[in-house]
Amino acid sequence: GGRLEYKSSRKIKNGYEIRNIAYLKGESPFEVTFLVSDKSGKNLFYNMFIEGVNMLLTERTEIGALLDQRGGDLNRLISDLPKIG
């Protein structure tokens, strides 16, 4: 029910930055930027920015907070993940 419209791309230190506009039903268009690395010999997606928000850092922070709530018990976090959402 949505589409991405290519806007631009450029070479960056670790690969490429691909800028797009996302169109979803019932939503205003918004910018999505993908960072793609070619260091392994293949183009691999490693980060995404939605309206300038770095999703890698956001998710890292959220997972860290969930882990802290469980006293650093990774197995407990893993077992709780299906319940979180």
Side-chain angles (χ1 to χ4, degrees):
R3 68 182 171 88
L4 286 176
E5 182 178 290
Y6 170 80
K7 194 171 169 186
S8 67
S9 61
R10 68 183 178 107
K11 180 84 170 119
I12 57 174
K13 181 179 177 182
N14 295 327
Y16 301 92
E17 175 188 82
I18 295 61
R19 296 179 67 196
N20 304 276
I21 300 294
Y23 296 90
L24 302 177
K25 286 184 178 181
E27 301 287 333
S28 297
F30 56 93
E31 186 171 311
V32 178
T33 301
F34 297 99
L35 299 185
V36 178
S37 172
D38 59 356
K39 285 187 175 184
S40 69
K42 296 187 282 184
N43 290 323
L44 299 172
F45 158 81
Y46 69 92
N47 199 358
M48 176 171 63
F49 292 79
I50 298 176
E51 286 292 307
V53 176
N54 182 328
M55 298 310 293
L56 177 66
L57 293 180
T58 299
E59 290 300 313
R60 183 180 294 156
T61 300
E62 287 190 28
I63 293 295
L66 292 171
L67 190 56
D68 287 346
Q69 290 170 1
R70 288 155 183 83
D73 185 337
L74 185 57
N75 288 323
R76 190 169 153 211
L77 173 60
I78 291 168
S79 69
D80 286 348
L81 282 175
K83 302 171 205 164
I84 294 171

